[in-house]
Amino acid sequence: MIKWVRICASTLLVLQIGSAAAQQSAEDLLNILDKAEPGRAESAEEAPAPTPVADEALSVEAVTDGPADERAVDGGVGLSTVAVDPLRPAEAPKPPPRRGNAQLEEIVVTAQRKVSSLQDTPISMEAFSEEKLQMRGIGGVEDLGSNVPSMVIEPHPLSNTTLRITIRGVGITDSQVTQDPAVGIYLDGVYLARSVGLALDLADIERMEVLRGPQGVLYGRNSTGGAVNILTKKPDPSMFNMDHKITIGDRNLFVGKSSFNVPLGDDFAIKLALLGKNAGGFVENTGEGKDFGDRQALGLRFDARWLAVDGLTIDYGYDFTDLEYVNYMFQGVLLPETQHGLAEFFKPYAVANSVYSDRRLDRLASGAPMEASSARVSGHTFILTQQFDAFELKYIGAYRKLEDSQYPDLSGGGGDTGYRIDLNAYDSAAARLANGGQPTPLVIPTTFQDQWSHELQISGQAWDDRISYIAGLYYFTESGGEDGGPIHHIQSATVDPQQSDVLLGVLPPEVRALLQDNALPRLSAYWDYFYGIENKAYAAYGQLSFRPDAFDRRLTFTVGLRGSRDERYAIKDFIQRQYLEVRLGNVSLAAVPVPAAVAGSPDDFDGVEASSDYDDISPSATVQFDLTDMAKAYLSYSTAYKSGGFNLRDPQVSAASGPASDGTNYGFGFVEGFKPERVTSWELGLKSEWLDRALRLNGAAFLSEYTDMQTNFMIAGTISDTKSRNAGKARMTGFELEGAFIPAENLMLGFQYAYLDAQVLEAIDINGDNVAHLYPFIAAPPHSGVLFTDWTIARPQWGEIRAYVNWNYIGDRKGFVITEERRGLTAIDGYGLLNARLMANGIRMGSEGTLDIALWGKNLLDEEYELTAIDNLPHADRAVIWGDPRSLGIDFVYRFRP
C-alpha cells in the first residue's frame, strides 16, 4: 500500500503538477511514508479516535436553505451541518464531541435540483453517499437493483453493459436506439439518453440518488418510472488531498483507484481520478475463445473549478470509460416443447448438442470462438453558476459520445459447431452464396450515439423566503444508430433426419435421391442491417413553492409545469436470408434459398424512413405539512410521459405488409411506430424522526395510472421478431417504508421495504378483445427489501473497528408471456443475498494520512439466483443468466489530508 502511495506522490513531483504548495505537499507525503514504513522511523504519535458514523446514509454536506441554527445537529454522533457560501467550498464540518445520546445523521440530497435535507424532500427516494456505496458494494448503476426496494435492473440478453431498469414495475423490456428508457439517468445533471453503456465503472462517484415514481416536471420525458442522479466529486481550491484504493478479490479481481485534488491558486483547482479494473467471470468457456464474464475497464475523470469574481463559478468535467467484456452465455434449463417455427426442423439436433441444468453451471462451451465485446463512453460537461443577491442563474451544457460493440453467442453451450447461434465467421456453400462468393466474416454489431444538451436554470427565494422557485429551458439533440454489417452468419444447424425429407423436397428429384440417404442438410440464416436515428427534444419548465404565514409557516404548497416537444426520425436497412445447404461429411456441396413462404422471412428494408412529432404538458402539485419539527407529511400529484418511437425488430415495413409470420395481420409495422405513454400518480408520504433523532421512520403510499402504455411482445415462432404498440391501461399501487434505529451508541439497525401491486387493466388486440392477462409487468416484484446492521465494535486509540451486514431481497417476477402455454417460462423466483464488511478504519499513516482496511464478502451464502431468462431459443423453452456466486475480497484505502 505504501509503495502505491509513494508512486503517486512521486508522480506529482516528476510531472511538476500544481502549485508550489501542492508540490510541497507531495514532498511532505514522501517524508511521511518514510516514517510510516517499518524500520524507517520511530512510531508516530497515536491519533485520536475518530468520531463514529452512526448512519449508513449520506455524510452531511453544506446546506444553504434556512438559518444555520435550524439545521445543525445538536450533539450525538452525527455530523453537524454548517452554513457556507454556496459558491465556495468550505472545509469539511468537524464532528461534535460525543455525548450520551447517539443521533442519526442528516441526509442531504439534490433531488429537486437544489441542495436540501432528504427529510424535507417530498419524494420517496433512496440516497447513497460514497461511504454507503462502499458499504453496500455498489460500483455503478448496475449494482443498485438489489439495494433499492421496488427497483429491478437486468442485463440485456445480447449485451451485459446494456441495462433494463425498472422502478415500481415501470421500465423498458428491450434496448433499441429508437426506444427510450422509462427511468431517466443523470450524470452531474446531464441526461444520458441510451440504456446502452450504463453498466460503467465511473471513476469518482460522490453519491447516487434514486427517485421513485414519475418525475415529469424537473426531469422531463422518459422518467415515468423515476430517475437516478449520479454526482461526482468536485475540485476544492482550499487544500491538496488525494485518495488511493486497492481492491483484491477472488476470480482475479483487482481494482486500483486514485484521485488527486490539486489547488492551483486560491480560487482555482483541478481534480484527476483514475480507475483500472480487472475481473474474471464465474463460468469457464471450455470451447474456443475467451472466458465468459471476463471484464477489464479503464476509467478517467478530470474536473476543473474556477471560483471567479462576483459570485461566478465555472465547472468543467470530462469523463472517459474504456471497457472490454465477454458476455455470458445463456444456460439451458427447460427442453423446448413449444412451437419454434422453422427451427422445428433442426430442434432435435439442437437439443442433442446443448447443455441443460436447473443449477448454476461453472462450465459451458462455445462452438465458434467466443469474442470480446467493448464499450467506449466519454463526455464533456460545462457548468456556469452565477449567484446574485436574490437568485441564481445556471447553465449546463454537455456533449456525450458512446460506442458499444456487442458480441453474443446464444448457442446451446455444448461446444458443437453443428448448432450455432453466433456472429462469427462461417464458410459454406450457403455463406458464399449469401456473400457474393466469399465466406461471411466475423461481425460485432456496434451501437453508436452522440448527444448534445443545453439547459438554462433560474432559481431563488423571495418574500422573506416564503417563496422558492426554479424555472428552466432545455434543448437536446442526438444522432446515432446500430451498424450490423456486412452480411454475416446468425444461425446454422443440422436438420433432424426425420425432417430432412420435407426440406429436401425443395431440391431437384435427382439431387434429392442422391442425398437422401447419404447426407443431412443444414439450415443457415444471415443478416445485414443498419439503423439510424436523429432526435430532438425541447422543454420549458417551472416549479414554485409557497409557505404562507398561516399554521406557523408549517404548510408548503408546490406547483410545477413542464411543456415538451419531441421530434423523432429513424431509418432502417435490413435484409435476412435463409438457405438450405447440403453437405457430405464436412464438405459443403450446394445451397438453395429457402422460400419466404416456408421461412416466414421478414420484409426487406431498403432505407425505409419513419418520423413523428409529439407534444406533452406535464403538471405536478404537492402539499407538505410539518406535523412537528421532526415529522413532515406530504401529498403529491405528478405526471410524466415517455416518448414514442419505432420498433427496429418489427419484421414488417407497414400496415400494408399483411400478416406476419404467425399468420396474424397486426395492422401496423415499423413506419407506424408507437405513441408516447403517460402516467398520473398520487403519493402520500411521511418523513419523521423520533427519540431525539435516534429513530427515523419514513413511508410513502402511491397510486399510479398509465395510459397508452408501450408494450413489446414476441411474434410466436420467431427468435427475435417483435411488435411494439400502446397496449392500453395499467395501474400500480403500493407503498415503501424505511427506518433506522440506534438502540446503543455503537449500533444502528435499519430496513427498507417495498410492496408493489402492478396490473395491466386493458390491452385490446386486433380482434377487439381485452387480453391484459397476456401482458403482465415482467419486472414488478410484489415484495422487496433490505435489512442492515452497522456496529462499531471498538474504538482503540488508532481508529475504529466496524462491521456492516446487509441482506437484500427481490421477490418473484412474472416475466414475458407470448402465449398462454408459455406463461411462466421467463419468470424469475425471488432471492435474498447476504453481504458483509469488516473494517479497521482510521489507522494513522504519518501525521496527515490514514489507512482503512476492509474485508468484504458478497452473496456469502452462495445463493444460486437468476438474473434474467428468455424462452425463444430453438434449443430451450427456458434459458437463464445466473447472478454472481459468493465472492470475497479486501480493500485498502489511503487518504491524505494535510
Side-chain angles (χ1 to χ4, degrees):
M1 181 67 221
I2 294 176
K3 181 179 180 181
W4 171 270
V5 178
R6 181 184 299 278
I7 292 172
C8 296
S10 301
T11 302
L12 285 176
L13 291 175
V14 172
L15 298 179
Q16 296 293 296
I17 295 176
S19 62
Q23 297 174 26
Q24 182 62 46
S25 297
E27 292 173 353
D28 292 343
L29 174 61
L30 291 175
N31 294 331
I32 292 170
L33 295 176
D34 289 340
K35 296 177 180 179
E37 287 189 83
R40 289 251 182 188
E42 297 296 328
S43 301
E45 293 184 13
E46 293 185 336
T51 302
V53 177
D55 190 7
E56 60 132 25
L58 278 168
S59 299
V60 175
E61 301 175 8
V63 180
T64 60
D65 294 341
D69 59 348
E70 294 179 2
R71 300 186 306 271
V73 179
D74 182 17
V77 299
L79 297 180
S80 296
T81 308
V82 296
V84 299
D85 183 341
L87 296 181
R88 293 183 179 270
E91 293 185 2
K94 296 180 179 180
R98 290 197 300 270
R99 301 182 184 178
N101 297 324
Q103 292 185 329
L104 296 166
E105 282 189 312
E106 184 178 11
I107 305 172
V108 176
V109 297
T110 55
Q112 293 193 310
R113 301 295 186 99
K114 64 178 181 180
V115 178
S116 63
S117 167
L118 181 142
Q119 294 301 105
D120 293 331
T121 305
I123 298 173
S124 176
M125 63 179 295
E126 295 286 347
F128 298 86
S129 67
E130 182 182 14
E131 180 187 50
K132 188 174 176 180
L133 293 170
Q134 179 174 288
M135 292 285 198
R136 296 277 186 94
I138 300 173
V141 177
E142 67 271 25
D143 298 320
L144 287 175
S146 62
N147 286 276
V148 178
S150 76
M151 185 181 195
V152 175
I153 298 180
E154 300 176 341
H156 189 270
L158 301 182
S159 171
N160 293 166
T161 68
T162 301
L163 303 180
R164 301 189 297 194
I165 304 175
T166 65
I167 298 179
R168 291 179 175 175
V170 180
I172 191 169
T173 59
D174 199 354
S175 175
Q176 302 180 28
V177 294
T178 53
Q179 295 188 2
D180 289 342
V183 176
I185 308 295
Y186 290 80
L187 176 62
D188 290 328
V190 177
Y191 174 62
L192 308 184
R194 300 292 117 209
S195 59
V196 173
L198 285 181
L200 304 177
D201 297 273
L202 298 174
D204 206 18
I205 300 176
E206 182 174 83
R207 70 175 181 268
M208 291 187 181
E209 302 168 358
V210 179
L211 288 63
R212 301 185 183 97
Q215 309 293 326
V217 172
L218 294 182
Y219 291 89
R221 67 192 181 117
N222 307 330
S223 62
T224 50
V228 177
N229 280 332
I230 305 169
L231 296 103
T232 59
K233 294 181 181 178
K234 296 296 182 285
D236 180 0
S238 65
M239 64 175 177
F240 170 84
N241 61 72
M242 60 181 178
D243 296 340
H244 305 284
K245 178 180 179 181
I246 293 177
T247 297
I248 302 171
D250 50 8
R251 296 194 293 276
N252 298 318
L253 175 65
F254 178 85
V255 182
K257 178 179 177 181
S258 295
S259 65
F260 303 87
N261 183 87
V262 184
L264 300 177
D266 293 337
D267 55 8
F268 185 70
I270 62 172
K271 193 169 189 299
L272 178 65
L274 301 167
L275 179 145
K277 180 177 181 179
N278 181 84
F282 58 86
V283 180
E284 178 187 355
N285 180 13
T286 59
E288 298 292 327
K290 300 181 180 295
D291 280 337
F292 307 115
D294 284 359
R295 183 183 180 107
Q296 293 181 324
L298 172 66
L300 164 69
R301 174 125 193 141
F302 172 81
D303 289 277
R305 166 167 281 193
W306 179 29
L307 305 177
V309 295
D310 299 327
L312 176 64
T313 299
I314 301 175
D315 288 305
Y316 168 76
Y318 170 76
D319 64 273
F320 172 77
T321 300
D322 188 357
L323 175 64
E324 181 179 284
Y325 61 99
V326 184
N327 279 318
Y328 280 104
M329 175 178 282
F330 275 85
Q331 176 190 309
V333 175
L334 296 179
L335 295 172
E337 296 180 356
T338 56
Q339 218 282 337
H340 287 264
L342 193 62
E344 291 296 313
F345 290 109
F346 58 81
K347 187 164 67 176
Y349 183 88
V351 169
N353 292 279
S354 298
V355 176
Y356 302 88
S357 177
D358 60 357
R359 305 296 301 272
R360 183 182 65 219
L361 300 177
D362 57 11
R363 290 181 178 86
L364 291 171
S366 62
M370 190 68 190
E371 303 290 340
S373 301
S374 63
R376 285 193 172 190
V377 183
S378 61
H380 301 264
T381 304
F382 185 67
I383 302 176
L384 298 175
T385 306
Q386 177 66 62
Q387 183 69 47
F388 295 95
D389 290 339
F391 63 93
E392 178 184 272
L393 281 176
K394 178 181 286 187
Y395 165 77
I396 304 174
Y399 168 73
R400 298 198 62 82
K401 180 182 180 67
L402 77 82
E403 292 183 1
D404 189 14
S405 300
Q406 309 156 1
Y407 181 85
D409 190 328
L410 300 176
S411 306
D416 180 66
T417 58
Y419 171 56
R420 290 174 49 183
I421 305 178
D422 61 64
L423 313 181
N424 221 308
Y426 187 62
D427 189 1
S428 71
R432 292 174 180 268
L433 184 60
N435 197 35
Q438 297 295 322
T440 53
L442 163 68
V443 170
I444 303 179
T446 298
T447 298
F448 56 94
Q449 185 242 12
D450 294 79
Q451 69 170 64
W452 288 89
S453 62
H454 306 272
E455 185 167 5
L456 182 63
Q457 299 176 358
I458 181 172
S459 61
Q461 296 179 326
W463 197 14
D464 193 24
D465 294 342
R466 293 181 179 88
I467 292 177
S468 62
Y469 60 88
I470 182 171
L473 299 172
Y474 180 74
Y475 173 69
F476 169 89
T477 181
E478 69 170 329
S479 61
E482 184 176 345
D483 187 354
I487 194 165
H488 57 279
H489 169 273
I490 59 168
Q491 179 179 292
S492 59
T494 301
V495 174
D496 177 57
Q498 296 180 3
Q499 306 291 333
S500 62
D501 287 346
V502 177
L503 291 176
L504 289 175
V506 303
L507 300 176
E510 59 276 12
V511 177
R512 182 172 68 249
L514 176 65
L515 297 175
Q516 228 164 7
D517 299 323
N518 297 295
L520 291 178
R522 284 175 63 83
L523 281 171
S524 56
Y526 307 84
W527 273 351
D528 183 8
Y529 64 88
F530 179 87
Y531 311 136
I533 60 168
E534 294 282 349
N535 298 327
K536 293 181 180 180
Y538 314 81
Y541 64 90
Q543 181 169 286
L544 176 71
S545 295
F546 174 55
R547 183 185 290 263
D549 289 331
F551 301 100
D552 295 327
R553 298 183 68 175
R554 292 180 176 273
L555 187 64
T556 303
F557 299 96
T558 302
V559 293
L561 186 70
R562 189 182 189 103
S564 305
R565 178 174 177 79
D566 275 302
E567 298 175 359
R568 316 278 293 189
Y569 167 83
I571 185 171
K572 178 178 179 179
D573 277 293
F574 179 88
I575 62 169
Q576 178 175 318
R577 298 289 182 262
Q578 301 192 60
Y579 296 88
L580 173 67
E581 61 180 90
V582 290
R583 306 174 70 94
L584 189 59
N586 292 325
V587 179
S588 179
L589 302 178
V592 295
V594 177
V598 175
S601 297
D603 294 345
D604 282 349
F605 289 75
D606 184 12
V608 176
E609 298 178 282
S611 61
S612 57
D613 301 329
Y614 312 105
D615 296 294
D616 178 78
I617 299 294
S618 295
S620 70
T622 303
V623 178
Q624 180 172 318
F625 186 72
D626 298 351
L627 302 172
T628 68
D629 290 343
M630 306 303 291
K632 306 173 189 297
Y634 66 89
L635 174 65
S636 67
Y637 167 83
S638 57
T639 60
Y641 88 108
K642 182 158 79 77
S643 178
F646 309 96
N647 179 19
L648 295 172
R649 306 192 204 285
D650 195 314
Q652 297 173 290
V653 172
S654 67
S657 298
S661 59
D662 63 352
T664 303
N665 189 341
Y666 291 95
F668 64 92
F670 165 73
V671 299
E672 283 82 12
F674 50 87
K675 301 182 297 182
E677 70 176 16
R678 291 178 169 83
V679 60
T680 299
S681 182
W682 291 89
E683 183 171 301
L684 177 64
L686 172 69
K687 298 194 173 184
S688 64
E689 293 178 334
W690 310 88
L691 304 179
D692 194 23
R693 294 194 65 188
L695 172 66
R696 177 177 295 146
L697 292 174
N698 295 338
F702 62 90
L703 167 64
S704 299
E705 295 182 332
Y706 285 76
T707 57
D708 294 324
M709 193 164 183
Q710 299 168 6
T711 302
N712 286 14
F713 60 94
M714 190 76 65
I715 297 177
T718 69
I719 293 178
S720 59
D721 293 346
T722 66
K723 286 285 186 178
S724 297
R725 64 177 177 182
N726 299 89
K729 301 177 182 179
R731 177 185 298 143
M732 285 87 160
T733 57
F735 60 87
E736 289 121 10
L737 299 173
E738 64 172 329
F741 177 52
I742 303 178
E745 182 177 354
N746 298 331
L747 179 66
M748 186 176 71
L749 308 175
F751 75 95
Q752 290 102 29
Y753 170 75
Y755 169 76
L756 176 63
D757 180 15
Q759 298 182 11
V760 175
L761 303 178
E762 181 181 272
I764 306 300
D765 66 11
I766 60 172
N767 299 317
D769 299 324
N770 185 4
V771 291
H773 64 286
L774 295 178
Y775 293 88
F777 284 94
I778 66 169
H783 307 281
S784 55
V786 176
L787 298 174
F788 67 86
T789 299
D790 189 350
W791 178 29
T792 301
I793 301 172
R795 297 190 186 94
Q797 290 185 341
W798 51 262
E800 68 174 10
I801 301 175
R802 186 175 174 188
Y804 182 90
V805 180
N806 68 290
W807 183 72
N808 306 338
Y809 176 77
I810 297 179
D812 297 344
R813 288 168 272 166
K814 295 180 179 179
F816 291 100
V817 175
I818 301 176
T819 61
E820 191 60 42
E821 67 176 344
R822 296 172 76 170
R823 180 179 294 275
L825 292 178
T826 60
I828 303 292
D829 292 336
Y831 59 88
L833 303 178
L834 180 66
N835 312 296
R837 188 176 185 88
L838 178 63
M839 298 155 281
N841 295 334
I843 303 170
R844 179 58 62 88
M845 300 287 290
S847 61
E848 296 174 326
T850 60
L851 176 67
D852 296 345
I853 303 175
L855 298 172
W856 54 262
K858 297 182 180 180
N859 189 11
L860 287 174
L861 302 180
D862 202 21
E863 176 81 9
E864 292 188 358
Y865 63 100
E866 299 162 339
L867 284 180
T868 187
I870 55 177
D871 63 351
N872 57 328
L873 294 178
H875 64 275
D877 273 356
R878 178 179 176 85
V880 304
I881 289 179
W882 296 93
D884 287 353
R886 176 172 46 230
S887 58
L888 304 172
I890 184 169
D891 291 344
F892 300 91
V893 181
Y894 173 80
R895 297 181 177 91
F896 176 77
R897 300 289 186 273

